[in-house]
Amino acid sequence: MPLKLFKRARSETYYVRGTVKGQSVYESSGTSDPQQAEEYRAKREAELWQESIYGKRAVVTFAHAVAAYVEAEPRSEATKAYLRRLLEHFGTMRLAEIDQTALDQAYRHILRDGAQASPATKGSVLTPLRSVLEFAAVRRWCERPAFDKPRIPMSRTVYLRPGQVTDLVDNAAPHLKPLLIFLFGTGARMSEALELDWACVDLKGKRAVVWQKQGNERHIDLPPRVCASLASLPNRDGRVFRPVRARKSKNGEGREIGEASSENGRTSGGQIKSGWSVACRKAGLPGHMRVWTPRGQKKPKSVFVPDVTPHDARHTWASWQYCLHKDLMRLKADGGWGNITTVTRYAKVMPDAYREEILEWLGISV
């Protein structure tokens, strides 16, 4: 029998019930408005007829695929944020309609610079979209996705010499110094460092356990300088590295130590962006001044934007380590990289002339 609308006892919401081509339906329309409910009923009936003739591929929507994708296994907050952007654009568009043209339109709609956005920025749209469509293709809801991949130009590996790192640490705010020493001394990712708990630190054994975004644990060795820096911290429980925030009191502005850095979905080193910028500028590292006028204001503001990012501390550590032991497989294991191709970029980057300075900075005696 065709689909019909009805209301349940003590409910204003309309429900849809009936059978189309042997498939029984009993579901909520999600609305109490009779006109909207009728539109929902007609649409569902048409979908079921179309599915019975052409198969499920003809009717599965992007919203349905995203819901199934999220429910299939735990997804990071960063992934969910990217998916929400895609949902706002694609909504209930059928998977079969999402092709290269639809992707190009998504770039223009979602990204600030549209089609002129950098390849890396376009990846924030393409990567989650492809993941959802691959997930759907395995379930035969659509064909495997085929999109043009933005060409990412080869970038120069940025690293610092020991003297530059010393200047950077010396010019950093007191609460940032131990964190910077840890980053340059261990090669830990920013997220791994900020999520590090004292329960995972063994100062006597000179070892710490950090967790990668895939959920894998990684054991890292702590060189003498890093151990000494950690030993100087006052706290011994909870998060190792804690933020310092401004607070208002009766006596004016003050500062307080927080329990943990803000959660940003492991997307960047933004938690120390301001302090990093100041330290880089004072240390004389290269960069440029960004000048802009905030909306609604007339007076322009400026901020120093360094060429070096917090993630370059990991590049620096890797370059130092290869300079010391010339072993790519060991570097791959110590750094927690998934493939050797990524690691090869650090080969012969740091000249051997800096070997003694590196050892001295790490506090390793030979």
Side-chain angles (χ1 to χ4, degrees), residues 86 154 227 258 284:
L86 295 178
M154 293 296 293
C227 283

Side-chain angles (χ1 to χ4, degrees), residues 68-121:
Y69 179 76
V70 172
E71 292 175 359
E73 62 181 80
R75 309 292 179 182
S76 69
E77 291 303 316
T79 296
K80 292 178 182 177
Y82 290 134
L83 291 176
R84 283 193 290 270
R85 292 198 313 174
L86 295 178
L87 271 174
E88 290 178 1
H89 176 72
F90 291 110
T92 56
M93 179 183 290
R94 293 186 298 114
L95 296 181
E97 298 173 339
I98 302 178
D99 54 12
Q100 184 63 46
T101 300
L103 175 60
D104 292 338
Q105 292 175 347
Y107 288 149
R108 290 191 288 270
H109 178 82
I110 296 175
L111 303 178
R112 182 183 60 184
D113 297 328
Q116 305 304 316
S118 68
T121 302

Side-chain angles (χ1 to χ4, degrees), residues 32-213:
S32 59
D33 182 272
Q35 183 176 349
Q36 293 180 1
E38 173 57 27
E39 291 174 356
Y40 178 88
R41 183 206 65 76
K43 181 180 179 181
R44 281 294 287 134
E45 189 168 87
E47 287 178 347
L48 291 169
W49 275 100
Q50 191 174 20
E51 180 181 338
S52 68
I53 299 172
Y54 301 106
K56 199 169 185 63
R57 288 189 179 191
V59 298
V60 176
T61 66
F62 183 74
H64 176 86
V66 168
Y69 179 76
V70 172
E71 292 175 359
E73 62 181 80
R75 309 292 179 182
S76 69
E77 291 303 316
T79 296
K80 292 178 182 177
Y82 290 134
L83 291 176
R84 283 193 290 270
R85 292 198 313 174
L86 295 178
L87 271 174
E88 290 178 1
H89 176 72
F90 291 110
T92 56
M93 179 183 290
R94 293 186 298 114
L95 296 181
E97 298 173 339
I98 302 178
D99 54 12
Q100 184 63 46
T101 300
L103 175 60
D104 292 338
Q105 292 175 347
Y107 288 149
R108 290 191 288 270
H109 178 82
I110 296 175
L111 303 178
R112 182 183 60 184
D113 297 328
Q116 305 304 316
S118 68
T121 302
K122 287 184 176 180
S124 67
V125 173
L126 175 58
T127 300
L129 175 62
R130 177 178 281 139
S131 296
V132 172
L133 295 183
E134 289 279 0
F135 174 88
V138 170
R139 287 151 182 79
R140 298 185 179 181
W141 296 344
C142 66
E143 298 289 343
R144 285 196 173 275
F147 299 116
D148 290 337
K149 184 177 181 181
R151 296 181 180 179
I152 301 177
M154 293 296 293
S155 60
R156 182 174 62 90
T157 301
V158 178
Y159 66 94
L160 299 180
R161 298 184 293 275
Q164 292 175 307
V165 176
T166 296
D167 291 340
L168 178 63
V169 173
D170 289 345
N171 285 282
H175 74 283
L176 285 182
K177 292 180 187 291
L179 174 60
L180 297 185
I181 291 174
F182 184 84
L183 293 174
F184 282 102
T186 66
R189 299 174 178 86
M190 178 64 70
S191 56
E192 294 172 341
L194 294 181
E195 294 174 7
L196 180 63
D197 195 276
W198 274 109
C200 297
V201 177
D202 179 5
L203 290 178
K204 182 178 180 180
K206 300 180 181 179
R207 182 70 63 85
V209 178
V210 297
W211 296 87
Q212 297 175 279
K213 61 183 179 181

Side-chain angles (χ1 to χ4, degrees), residues 265-292:
R266 286 175 164 247
T267 56
S268 68
Q271 297 96 331
I272 66 168
K273 182 177 181 180
S274 178
W276 175 268
S277 174
V278 171
C280 287
R281 178 176 56 80
K282 290 182 177 180
L285 295 179
H288 66 278
M289 295 300 297
R290 175 175 175 259
V291 182
W292 81 103

